[in-house]
Structure formats: structure tokens, C-alpha cells
Amino acid sequence: CALPIWILTPLTGSVLSRMEGSLVSNQRLTLRAETTNGAALLYWFIDGKFQTSASATARAYWSLTPGPHTISCCDLLGQSDAVCVTVK
């Protein structure tokens, strides 16, 4: 049985590295999810704080910040998925 929403990227447990000397605006992570419930819009949260919304078929982006993070994605029905990542 498929989940109504699942995060494709990043994968849970990923360890991501920031590039020294690179502009913060250039250090973004692509957020992608897939749905089976027909949701048109997805809402992305980082550590429980709203980050952005995007069409279910579009990519969203997050500027990397150091530390452990929980990235979650949900639709208007409250169906969601979450992954944990670490940024070094």
C-alpha cells in the first residue's frame, strides 16, 4: 500500500555538507515529494517551521543551515511524510 505523500529527496539519514566560501544562496537543497492522493499543493516545513509551498509536481528549495533537521511535507488534508537529515 503506497503512502499518500512521500518525500523523494532528501533521503532520511542523509548527511549534507555545506561548501566553505560559497554563497549561502547557492547552497540550496532540492525538496521533492510525490503524491498518490491528487494533492495539488504541498507545504514544506523545516524543524516544524513553515518553509514554502509548491505545486505537487514542482521542486521546492531550502537554504542549508548546519545541524540536525527534520524536513516534513504535508497537504491540506494533513497527510504527511518526514525525513531527518544532518547538515555539516
Side-chain angles (χ1 to χ4, degrees):
C1 176
L3 297 171
I5 295 175
W6 66 98
I7 296 174
L8 299 173
T9 60
L11 297 175
T12 199
S14 293
V15 177
L16 310 163
S17 297
R18 292 175 31 148
M19 294 179 288
E20 292 289 327
S22 184
L23 294 174
V24 172
S25 61
N26 291 339
Q27 299 190 48
R28 299 185 314 162
L29 177 66
T30 300
L31 307 174
R32 287 184 42 219
E34 197 162 297
T35 68
T36 59
N37 64 3
L41 196 59
L42 298 176
Y43 301 88
W44 291 92
F45 296 82
I46 308 296
D47 300 325
K49 295 180 184 175
F50 176 74
Q51 178 70 27
T52 190
S53 60
S55 160
T57 59
R59 290 177 170 91
Y61 299 93
W62 169 57
S63 295
L64 298 173
T65 57
H69 300 284
T70 300
I71 300 172
S72 57
C73 179
C74 70
D75 64 12
L76 285 175
L77 298 175
Q79 297 170 324
S80 65
D81 191 17
V83 297
C84 295
V85 300
T86 300
V87 179
K88 293 186 175 191

